[in-house]
């Protein structure tokens, strides 16, 4: 089954920057899955040095999956945030701290009451350097969680295959719907 890519707004609802590019050469990108993408995206757009964010789907078996397909659990996709950032203001390692501290990476295919493959914890890397940094970060945070009496991390670290933008109404959802649902919560364990 092949779907057509969705059309997304040209501008980020919060900061007015481009949602899909093209981006200046000095900017880099990262992709994170930490449960429902609404709250995850807000955590990143609030981070100093982040130029733009967009939500979408990756890690599944259907090209250009849509929300209904992803929610069925049949495609294997994760809800993700594509983060475009300026590495002179925020490092990839610092973005990983935002990732680890703002969700529970020990829950497998869920975050709180959100259950299914789309809510799993994952880091989708774009370069070998990101993969190395992400794995080192995982080992470091795992030690901190174990010291705090928490279980093992279930987060997958894998190369990004294909990113598909989510539908327009999901983009910057919590800015458009300030009272909207956000089930995101961390473990209380700091990366620092």
């Amino acid at each position: 089954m092949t779907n057509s890519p969705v059309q997304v707004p040209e501008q980020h609802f919060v900061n007015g920057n481009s949602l899909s590019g093209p981006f200046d050469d000095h900017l880099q990108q990262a992709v994170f899955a930490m449960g429902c993408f609404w709250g995850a995206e807000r955590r990143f757009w609030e981070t100093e040095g982040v130029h733009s964010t967009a939500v979408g789907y990756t890690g599944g078996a259907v090209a250009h999956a849509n929300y209904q397909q992803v929610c069925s659990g049949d495609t294997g996709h994760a809800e993700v945030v594509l983060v475009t950032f300026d590495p002179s203001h925020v490092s990839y390692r610092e973005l990983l701290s935002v990732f680890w501290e703002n969700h529970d990476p020990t829950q497998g295919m869920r975050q709180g009451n959100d259950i299914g493959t789309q809510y799993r914890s994952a880091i989708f890397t774009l370069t070998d350097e990101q993969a190395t940094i992400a794995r080192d970060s995982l080992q470091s945070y795992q030690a901190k969680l174990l010291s705090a009496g928490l279980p093992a991390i279930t987060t997958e670290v894998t190369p990004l295959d294909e990113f598909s933008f989510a539908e327009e109404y999901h983009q910057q959802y919590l800015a458009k719907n300030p009272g909207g649902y956000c089930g995101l919560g961390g473990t209380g364990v700091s990366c620092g």
Side-chain angles (χ1 to χ4, degrees):
M1 177 186 303
T2 301
N3 301 314
S4 298
V6 301
Q7 297 298 309
V8 293
E10 289 185 24
Q11 294 183 316
H12 195 280
F13 184 80
V14 176
N15 64 28
N17 292 330
S18 176
L19 205 63
S20 60
F23 296 108
D24 291 342
D25 290 342
H26 73 283
L27 298 175
Q28 295 179 13
Q29 293 186 311
V31 178
F32 302 104
M34 46 198 286
C36 176
F37 51 23
W38 294 343
E41 184 184 24
R42 179 174 60 191
R43 294 291 196 273
F44 286 107
W45 85 54
E46 292 174 341
T47 301
E48 176 92 21
V50 169
H51 179 78
S52 188
T53 57
V55 294
Y57 316 109
T58 195
V62 175
H64 309 298
N66 62 46
Y67 187 63
Q68 288 72 29
Q69 291 170 319
V70 170
C71 286
S72 75
D74 294 335
T75 68
H77 284 83
E79 292 188 11
V80 297
V81 181
L82 172 65
V83 180
T84 304
F85 65 101
D86 183 342
S88 68
H89 292 285
V90 64
S91 69
Y92 183 65
R93 194 173 303 279
E94 289 169 319
L95 292 178
L96 284 164
S97 291
V98 173
F99 169 78
W100 294 120
E101 292 176 0
N102 286 284
H103 80 298
D104 184 345
T106 70
Q107 294 191 335
M109 299 294 175
R110 69 180 300 159
Q111 271 308 290
N113 292 330
D114 293 328
I115 299 170
T117 59
Q118 73 267 33
Y119 301 117
R120 70 186 183 270
S121 175
I123 302 166
F124 294 93
T125 59
L126 283 76
T127 65
D128 290 341
E129 180 182 20
Q130 281 189 359
T132 298
I133 294 169
R135 287 189 184 98
D136 289 347
S137 176
L138 186 151
Q139 289 178 345
S140 173
Y141 197 58
Q142 178 65 84
K144 292 181 186 331
L145 290 179
L146 291 174
S147 292
L150 293 167
I153 288 174
T154 60
T155 304
E156 66 182 278
V157 178
T158 189
L160 179 68
D161 182 15
E162 176 188 338
F163 173 84
S164 297
F165 285 97
E167 296 77 0
E168 183 279 332
Y169 68 94
H170 289 299
Q171 305 297 334
Q172 299 85 60
Y173 180 86
L174 291 179
K176 299 172 190 172
N177 302 278
Y181 167 77
C182 177
L184 209 58
T187 61
V189 176
S190 170
C191 286

